[in-house]
mmCIF file of all heavy atoms in Angstrom:
data_model
loop_
_atom_site.group_PDB
_atom_site.id
_atom_site.type_symbol
_atom_site.label_atom_id
_atom_site.label_comp_id
_atom_site.label_asym_id
_atom_site.label_seq_id
_atom_site.Cartn_x
_atom_site.Cartn_y
_atom_site.Cartn_z
ATOM 1 N N PRO A 430 1.117 38.538 -18.180
ATOM 2 C CA PRO A 430 1.223 37.556 -19.111
ATOM 3 C C PRO A 430 0.893 37.945 -20.583
ATOM 4 O O PRO A 430 -0.025 38.911 -20.734
ATOM 5 C CB PRO A 430 0.207 36.472 -18.577
ATOM 6 C CG PRO A 430 -0.080 36.817 -17.190
ATOM 7 C CD PRO A 430 0.118 38.333 -17.188
ATOM 8 N N ILE A 431 1.537 37.377 -21.515
ATOM 9 C CA ILE A 431 1.134 37.595 -22.953
ATOM 10 C C ILE A 431 0.538 36.380 -23.460
ATOM 11 O O ILE A 431 1.108 35.358 -23.440
ATOM 12 C CB ILE A 431 2.468 37.994 -23.794
ATOM 13 C CG1 ILE A 431 3.199 39.166 -23.179
ATOM 14 C CG2 ILE A 431 2.145 38.204 -25.247
ATOM 15 C CD1 ILE A 431 4.643 39.338 -23.703
ATOM 16 N N ILE A 432 -0.666 36.571 -24.010
ATOM 17 C CA ILE A 432 -1.427 35.438 -24.613
ATOM 18 C C ILE A 432 -1.308 35.442 -26.024
ATOM 19 O O ILE A 432 -1.748 36.334 -26.757
ATOM 20 C CB ILE A 432 -2.885 35.478 -24.178
ATOM 21 C CG1 ILE A 432 -3.058 35.752 -22.689
ATOM 22 C CG2 ILE A 432 -3.632 34.116 -24.522
ATOM 23 C CD1 ILE A 432 -2.491 34.795 -21.723
ATOM 24 N N ALA A 433 -0.570 34.400 -26.626
ATOM 25 C CA ALA A 433 -0.362 34.379 -27.992
ATOM 26 C C ALA A 433 -0.789 32.954 -28.573
ATOM 27 O O ALA A 433 -1.395 32.201 -27.847
ATOM 28 C CB ALA A 433 1.119 34.469 -28.317
ATOM 29 N N ARG A 434 -0.693 32.780 -29.807
ATOM 30 C CA ARG A 434 -0.985 31.428 -30.356
ATOM 31 C C ARG A 434 0.102 30.959 -31.176
ATOM 32 O O ARG A 434 1.085 31.609 -31.557
ATOM 33 C CB ARG A 434 -2.292 31.553 -31.176
ATOM 34 C CG ARG A 434 -2.190 32.309 -32.463
ATOM 35 C CD ARG A 434 -3.483 32.188 -33.317
ATOM 36 N NE ARG A 434 -3.428 32.744 -34.632
ATOM 37 C CZ ARG A 434 -3.590 34.011 -34.934
ATOM 38 N NH1 ARG A 434 -3.913 34.799 -33.967
ATOM 39 N NH2 ARG A 434 -3.458 34.434 -36.180
ATOM 40 N N ILE A 435 0.044 29.564 -31.392
ATOM 41 C CA ILE A 435 1.138 28.915 -32.169
ATOM 42 C C ILE A 435 0.642 28.508 -33.470
ATOM 43 O O ILE A 435 -0.538 27.993 -33.539
ATOM 44 C CB ILE A 435 1.591 27.583 -31.336
ATOM 45 C CG1 ILE A 435 2.296 28.084 -30.022
ATOM 46 C CG2 ILE A 435 2.595 26.775 -32.202
ATOM 47 C CD1 ILE A 435 2.653 26.863 -29.187
ATOM 48 N N GLN A 436 1.382 28.693 -34.549
ATOM 49 C CA GLN A 436 1.078 28.227 -35.826
ATOM 50 C C GLN A 436 2.250 27.880 -36.553
ATOM 51 O O GLN A 436 3.257 28.658 -36.608
ATOM 52 C CB GLN A 436 0.262 29.377 -36.516
ATOM 53 C CG GLN A 436 -0.393 28.905 -37.797
ATOM 54 C CD GLN A 436 -1.168 30.108 -38.456
ATOM 55 O OE1 GLN A 436 -2.031 30.695 -37.911
ATOM 56 N NE2 GLN A 436 -0.820 30.395 -39.716
ATOM 57 N N ASP A 437 2.260 26.731 -37.181
ATOM 58 C CA ASP A 437 3.367 26.305 -37.950
ATOM 59 C C ASP A 437 4.746 26.358 -37.161
ATOM 60 O O ASP A 437 5.725 26.882 -37.669
ATOM 61 C CB ASP A 437 3.551 26.992 -39.261
ATOM 62 C CG ASP A 437 2.374 26.822 -40.115
ATOM 63 O OD1 ASP A 437 1.730 25.755 -40.011
ATOM 64 O OD2 ASP A 437 2.014 27.704 -40.924
ATOM 65 N N ASP A 438 4.706 25.872 -35.887
ATOM 66 C CA ASP A 438 5.934 25.827 -34.963
ATOM 67 C C ASP A 438 6.485 27.318 -34.744
ATOM 68 O O ASP A 438 7.652 27.425 -34.457
ATOM 69 C CB ASP A 438 7.028 25.004 -35.658
ATOM 70 C CG ASP A 438 6.831 23.595 -35.306
ATOM 71 O OD1 ASP A 438 6.215 23.402 -34.197
ATOM 72 O OD2 ASP A 438 7.227 22.681 -36.043
ATOM 73 N N ARG A 439 5.614 28.246 -34.922
ATOM 74 C CA ARG A 439 6.079 29.674 -34.519
ATOM 75 C C ARG A 439 5.080 30.306 -33.646
ATOM 76 O O ARG A 439 3.803 30.041 -33.727
ATOM 77 C CB ARG A 439 6.232 30.533 -35.830
ATOM 78 C CG ARG A 439 7.476 30.094 -36.684
ATOM 79 C CD ARG A 439 7.767 31.124 -37.781
ATOM 80 N NE ARG A 439 6.490 31.335 -38.626
ATOM 81 C CZ ARG A 439 6.539 32.111 -39.717
ATOM 82 N NH1 ARG A 439 7.633 32.708 -40.133
ATOM 83 N NH2 ARG A 439 5.482 32.243 -40.437
ATOM 84 N N VAL A 440 5.535 31.154 -32.721
ATOM 85 C CA VAL A 440 4.580 31.867 -31.839
ATOM 86 C C VAL A 440 4.075 33.098 -32.663
ATOM 87 O O VAL A 440 4.934 33.819 -33.211
ATOM 88 C CB VAL A 440 5.291 32.221 -30.508
ATOM 89 C CG1 VAL A 440 4.378 33.168 -29.752
ATOM 90 C CG2 VAL A 440 5.552 31.041 -29.770
ATOM 91 N N LEU A 441 2.872 33.231 -32.733
ATOM 92 C CA LEU A 441 2.301 34.430 -33.490
ATOM 93 C C LEU A 441 1.742 35.439 -32.478
ATOM 94 O O LEU A 441 0.920 35.092 -31.632
ATOM 95 C CB LEU A 441 1.173 34.030 -34.378
ATOM 96 C CG LEU A 441 1.484 33.265 -35.610
ATOM 97 C CD1 LEU A 441 0.288 33.044 -36.510
ATOM 98 C CD2 LEU A 441 2.623 33.918 -36.369
ATOM 99 N N LEU A 442 2.147 36.654 -32.590
ATOM 100 C CA LEU A 442 1.619 37.776 -31.781
ATOM 101 C C LEU A 442 0.841 38.668 -32.765
ATOM 102 O O LEU A 442 1.406 39.404 -33.576
ATOM 103 C CB LEU A 442 2.829 38.571 -31.142
ATOM 104 C CG LEU A 442 3.696 37.760 -30.237
ATOM 105 C CD1 LEU A 442 5.074 38.476 -30.014
ATOM 106 C CD2 LEU A 442 2.963 37.475 -28.963
ATOM 107 N N ASP A 443 -0.479 38.569 -32.579
ATOM 108 C CA ASP A 443 -1.402 39.318 -33.560
ATOM 109 C C ASP A 443 -1.491 40.779 -33.091
ATOM 110 O O ASP A 443 -1.794 41.056 -31.958
ATOM 111 C CB ASP A 443 -2.732 38.651 -33.565
ATOM 112 C CG ASP A 443 -3.709 39.128 -34.665
ATOM 113 O OD1 ASP A 443 -3.639 40.278 -34.996
ATOM 114 O OD2 ASP A 443 -4.270 38.183 -35.317
ATOM 115 N N ALA A 444 -1.182 41.709 -34.030
ATOM 116 C CA ALA A 444 -1.122 43.114 -33.731
ATOM 117 C C ALA A 444 -2.496 43.718 -33.640
ATOM 118 O O ALA A 444 -2.642 44.860 -33.150
ATOM 119 C CB ALA A 444 -0.290 43.799 -34.764
ATOM 120 N N ARG A 445 -3.570 43.083 -34.114
ATOM 121 C CA ARG A 445 -4.833 43.696 -34.160
ATOM 122 C C ARG A 445 -5.297 44.088 -32.714
ATOM 123 O O ARG A 445 -5.900 45.140 -32.441
ATOM 124 C CB ARG A 445 -5.959 42.816 -34.782
ATOM 125 C CG ARG A 445 -7.333 43.407 -34.576
ATOM 126 C CD ARG A 445 -8.469 42.604 -35.250
ATOM 127 N NE ARG A 445 -8.291 42.420 -36.669
ATOM 128 C CZ ARG A 445 -8.731 43.342 -37.597
ATOM 129 N NH1 ARG A 445 -9.349 44.512 -37.100
ATOM 130 N NH2 ARG A 445 -8.582 43.113 -38.862
#
Side-chain angles (χ1 to χ4, degrees):
I431 302 166
I432 314 299
R434 67 173 189 274
I435 296 176
Q436 190 178 302
D437 300 332
D438 274 333
R439 290 189 302 188
V440 171
L441 288 188
L442 301 162
D443 194 317
R445 175 180 295 278

